[in-house]
């Protein structure tokens, strides 16, 4: 089935722990994105990748890192989780980064940091 | 700064028409998107406007006025399954999407 998968679906994490959220797409899209969604706020871009081998910082990159070793995978790592990172995390992809390009979203990971 | 404004919540009746407004101030403009998001699910693409005017897609239409920094999403013949949040987003000069907080639409029978 074509699309984007994310893992885990949900996670409870102790503050200070390291965590990697996984994202895989099988649409051969060049661009991938990580967003966080918090109540009352719009989706906020954490990091993005326009193509395999490149990454960039979004609006709220602090405390997060990403890598893009190949086209399909775009993991997001929290090096030392803090309670303010409690959120729903969505991975998305688009064929390119131009104006017409639509972003397609994965099902999300719900993360609670205690 | 960049800003997207839309109402927090709206209520409408099944079978009726509802208009969800979105105003924006962004650094550059490369298109405006509307997404639908059901509770607990991922956003899904509804429509895209890059030129002024109305784009119609079945029961859903989206309008854009670039000079006014304004868009609306029009939903006709409302169905209970249309109960969801509707997200307005603008692509800025860097081709990054700037998102509004979303409008929660409640449909009553």
């Amino acid at each position: 089935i074509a699309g984007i998968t994310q893992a885990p679906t949900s996670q409870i994490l102790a503050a200070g722990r390291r965590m990697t959220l996984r994202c895989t797409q099988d649409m051969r899209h060049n661009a991938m994105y990580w967003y966080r969604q918090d109540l009352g706020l719009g989706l906020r871009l954490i990091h993005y990748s326009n193509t395999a081998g490149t990454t960039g910082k979004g609006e709220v990159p602090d405390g997060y890192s990403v890598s893009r070793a190949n086209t399909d995978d775009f993991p997001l790592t929290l090096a030392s989780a803090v309670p303010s990172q409690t959120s729903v995390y969505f991975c998305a992809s688009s064929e390119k980064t131009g104006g017409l390009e639509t972003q397609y979203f994965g099902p999300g990971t719900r993360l609670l940091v205690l | 700064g960049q800003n997207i404004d839309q109402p927090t919540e709206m209520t409408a009746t099944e079978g009726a028409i509802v208009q969800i407004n979105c105003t924006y101030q962004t650094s550059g403009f490369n298109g405006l998107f509307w997404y639908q998001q059901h509770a607990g699910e991922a956003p899904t693409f509804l429509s895209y406007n890059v030129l002024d005017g109305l784009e119609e897609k079945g029961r859903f239409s989206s309008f854009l006025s670039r000079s006014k920094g304004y868009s609306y999403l029009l939903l006709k013949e409302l169905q209970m399954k249309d109960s969801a949040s509707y997200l307005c987003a603008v692509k800025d000069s860097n081709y990054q999407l700037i998102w509004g907080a979303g409008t929660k639409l409640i449909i009553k029978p």
Side-chain angles (χ1 to χ4, degrees):
Chain A
I1 298 176
I4 302 178
T5 58
Q6 292 185 236
T9 302
S10 63
Q11 182 76 43
I12 300 173
L13 189 66
R17 298 297 293 268
R18 181 184 178 89
M19 172 81 190
T20 294
L21 309 185
R22 299 185 297 279
C23 175
T24 300
Q25 53 104 357
D26 63 2
M27 297 177 283
R28 308 303 293 172
H29 283 174
N30 286 304
M32 297 187 75
Y33 314 85
W34 274 106
Y35 291 95
R36 60 178 289 172
Q37 187 175 40
D38 303 291
L39 199 63
L41 299 177
L43 288 159
R44 291 183 291 169
L45 184 65
I46 304 170
H47 285 285
Y48 65 93
S49 169
N50 289 335
T51 189
T54 70
T55 62
K57 294 182 179 180
E59 179 186 355
V60 289
D62 294 343
Y64 306 94
S65 63
V66 291
S67 61
R68 186 88 184 277
N70 57 60
T71 298
D72 299 343
D73 301 299
F74 191 42
L76 176 74
T77 297
L78 289 67
S80 179
V82 294
S84 62
Q85 291 178 312
T86 293
S87 188
V88 180
Y89 291 87
F90 287 103
C91 179
S93 73
S94 62
E95 189 171 350
K96 300 174 191 174
T97 55
L100 280 171
E101 295 299 327
T102 301
Q103 292 185 14
Y104 298 90
F105 285 78
T109 293
R110 284 143 189 83
L111 181 66
L112 174 62
V113 182
L114 299 174
Chain B
Q2 308 203 90
N3 196 49
I4 310 283
D5 285 320
Q6 40 181 144
T8 303
E9 187 174 296
M10 299 182 70
T11 302
T13 304
E14 190 177 14
I17 299 173
V18 71
Q19 177 176 312
I20 302 174
N21 296 324
C22 170
T23 58
Y24 63 89
Q25 289 179 305
T26 56
S27 57
F29 179 86
N30 282 297
L32 186 142
F33 293 75
W34 284 96
Y35 278 75
Q36 180 189 60
Q37 185 177 26
H38 285 100
E41 298 183 7
T44 55
F45 170 75
L46 282 178
S47 69
Y48 169 77
N49 294 71
V50 66
L51 300 175
D52 290 352
L54 189 68
E55 294 281 342
E56 297 189 74
K57 215 175 186 182
R59 294 190 298 114
F60 294 5
S61 304
S62 56
F63 171 83
L64 175 66
S65 169
R66 287 172 297 171
S67 63
K68 294 182 179 178
Y70 168 70
S71 173
Y72 67 73
L73 180 69
L74 192 70
L75 291 74
K76 303 175 186 175
E77 301 170 16
L78 285 169
Q79 302 175 9
M80 297 304 293
K81 68 178 182 179
D82 298 329
S83 293
S85 289
Y86 292 86
L87 314 181
C88 175
V90 172
K91 268 200 183 175
D92 67 9
S93 56
N94 295 318
Y95 292 96
Q96 300 295 353
L97 277 173
I98 309 301
W99 296 81
T103 298
K104 182 178 180 180
L105 179 62
I106 300 167
I107 310 295
K108 295 186 175 180

